[in-house]
């Protein structure tokens, strides 16, 4: 379910393929070092992608990212009813 929400937002906001890899990991609450290790990239690379993701989504903190993902799921569920 989280993956579906993240994919919808990634499409809506035009995230790059690498940003799409990082986005759901951020939404799950993974740390920058953990994402770096998982994707075999430097921590600075993850930070750069995260910064661009935040800019594209118009947010400033991970809590806002998680709220946005949750709201998107709630909105989608309301439309289906």
């Amino acid at each position: 379910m989280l993956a579906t929400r993240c994919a919808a937002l990634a499409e809506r906001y035009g995230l790059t393929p690498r940003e799409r890899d990082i986005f759901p990991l951020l939404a799950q609450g993974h740390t920058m070092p953990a994402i770096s290790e998982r994707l075999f990239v430097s921590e600075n690379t993850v930070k750069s992608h995260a910064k661009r993701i935040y800019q594209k989504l118009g947010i400033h903190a991970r809590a806002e990212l998680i709220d946005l993902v949750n709201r998107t799921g709630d909105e989608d569920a309301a439309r289906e009813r």
Side-chain angles (χ1 to χ4, degrees):
M1 185 185 237
L2 177 71
T4 304
R5 293 175 180 183
C6 289
L9 285 167
E11 182 70 28
R12 184 182 310 163
Y13 289 95
L15 300 185
T16 67
R18 192 48 135 176
E19 290 168 351
R20 289 171 189 246
D21 293 339
I22 293 170
F23 180 48
L25 298 174
L26 290 171
Q28 290 171 355
H30 291 284
T31 63
M32 299 286 178
I35 295 170
S36 166
E37 202 171 292
R38 185 169 182 167
L39 298 178
F40 304 104
V41 296
S42 76
E43 199 171 323
N44 284 332
T45 299
V46 174
K47 287 178 184 178
S48 294
H49 285 301
K51 182 179 177 180
R52 283 192 297 265
I53 291 167
Y54 286 15
Q55 287 173 339
K56 288 179 179 182
L57 298 178
I59 59 174
H60 300 96
R62 187 176 308 215
E64 291 177 280
L65 182 141
I66 293 168
D67 287 343
L68 178 63
V69 170
N70 288 334
R71 272 196 323 267
T72 299
D74 294 342
E75 291 167 2
D76 291 345
R79 280 189 214 121
E80 291 177 3
R81 290 182 202 157

